[in-house]
Amino acid sequence: DTGVSQNPRHKITKRGQNVTFRCDPISEHNRLYWYRQTLGQGPEFLTYFQNEAQLEKSRLLSDRFSAERPKGSFSTLEIQRTEQGDSAMYLCASSLAAGLSGELFFGEGSRLTVL
Amino acid sequence: QKEVEQDPGPLSVPEGAIVSLNCTYSNSAFQYFMWYRQYSRKGPELLMYTYSSGNKEDGRFTAQVDKSSKYISLFIRDSQPSDSATYLCAMSVNYGQNFVFGPGTRLSVLP
């Protein structure tokens, strides 16, 4: 399977703990996006990378959130000192920066439950 | 007012019906429009992608964009129970940048 891969699929943690999610994009895609989705809502943009450069960050991305894409391949999203309001599905998507179109291809998501 | 609005449904139709799903938006700068299908507890799956105004057809699916009215539509012909899912519209101003999603419309196609 050469789609977008996310790990872990589900993480349960206690409030105050740190969590990290990993995303492996489609191999030839140079853009990578993180979105957050809560029940009954559409995905909300958090941040995106072109290669290793983080080009845009949402105001939703508080100081407790940090994302990296060290070699322009996989990406990690870390949430420090988790709060119950962080409980959501964290979705990763990738796309080509150039080409016929800029469609986003999503992974299956990483579901976070903060107790 | 949210930037992108959708009727959340649920919308229930009999198998074989034509389904019309719609989004309205407030930002006239949006140029790129997508429709996604999302099954429960799965990631969104791209259905249609259109640029600017006009129609695009792919099998049973037709996407329409009316930029003058800030209104986009997705039509599903000969709907099937397997089409039961949440349908999300998404749009962006610039190529490949931040896409803004609607809240989604939940569709049920009854056999």
Side-chain angles (χ1 to χ4, degrees):
Chain A
D1 190 329
T2 57
V4 177
S5 176
Q6 291 189 246
N7 289 288
R9 293 292 312 279
H10 192 188
K11 178 73 175 178
I12 302 173
T13 191
K14 293 182 179 178
R15 189 178 55 184
Q17 298 294 305
N18 299 343
V19 296
T20 300
F21 300 114
R22 175 179 168 126
C23 173
D24 288 273
I26 294 171
S27 58
E28 63 269 27
H29 285 184
N30 48 8
R31 285 196 175 176
L32 186 148
Y33 304 75
W34 285 100
Y35 281 80
R36 179 173 67 188
Q37 187 177 27
T38 53
L39 198 62
Q41 299 298 315
E44 294 176 298
F45 171 78
L46 293 178
T47 188
Y48 92 95
F49 295 82
Q50 179 158 323
N51 300 314
E52 64 274 12
Q54 190 171 19
L55 296 186
E56 188 176 347
K57 291 169 62 173
S58 165
R59 287 189 295 272
L60 292 175
L61 211 66
S62 77
D63 292 344
R64 297 184 298 105
F65 288 70
S66 62
E68 293 183 343
R69 194 182 183 198
K71 295 183 179 179
S73 56
F74 73 93
S75 175
T76 57
L77 176 70
E78 181 183 18
I79 309 173
Q80 296 183 323
R81 304 181 303 282
T82 52
E83 302 173 356
Q84 288 185 325
D86 297 331
S87 296
M89 175 80 88
Y90 290 85
L91 293 164
C92 177
S94 68
S95 74
L96 280 170
L100 296 177
S101 58
E103 301 104 315
L104 300 184
F105 294 89
F106 281 89
E108 297 288 2
S110 292
R111 182 172 299 279
L112 174 64
T113 302
V114 182
L115 301 176
Chain B
Q1 181 189 10
K2 288 190 175 180
E3 208 167 4
V4 180
E5 308 237 27
Q6 275 184 272
D7 185 335
L11 176 63
S12 293
V13 300
E15 183 175 355
I18 296 174
V19 176
S20 172
L21 302 166
N22 311 295
C23 285
T24 58
Y25 59 93
S26 57
N27 186 351
S28 57
F30 285 139
Q31 299 187 86
Y32 299 89
F33 304 92
M34 296 191 292
W35 283 97
Y36 281 87
R37 177 174 62 196
Q38 187 174 26
Y39 293 112
S40 180
R41 297 185 175 271
K42 297 286 189 181
E45 171 194 8
L46 180 66
L47 284 176
M48 300 285 285
Y49 181 95
T50 53
Y51 169 70
S52 195
S53 285
N55 294 358
K56 185 174 182 179
E57 188 172 323
D58 184 2
R60 297 186 296 113
F61 298 93
T62 299
Q64 289 185 351
V65 175
D66 182 349
K67 289 188 69 181
S68 63
S69 301
K70 288 184 257 184
Y71 186 87
I72 68 172
S73 300
L74 178 72
F75 297 95
I76 307 174
R77 290 181 298 281
D78 187 25
S79 55
Q80 303 295 310
S82 59
D83 294 327
S84 298
T86 295
Y87 289 79
L88 299 157
C89 63
M91 46 200 79
S92 78
V93 172
N94 293 313
Y95 178 88
Q97 288 187 347
N98 168 26
F99 279 87
V100 180
F101 282 79
T105 298
R106 193 153 52 95
L107 171 67
S108 290
V109 181
L110 307 174

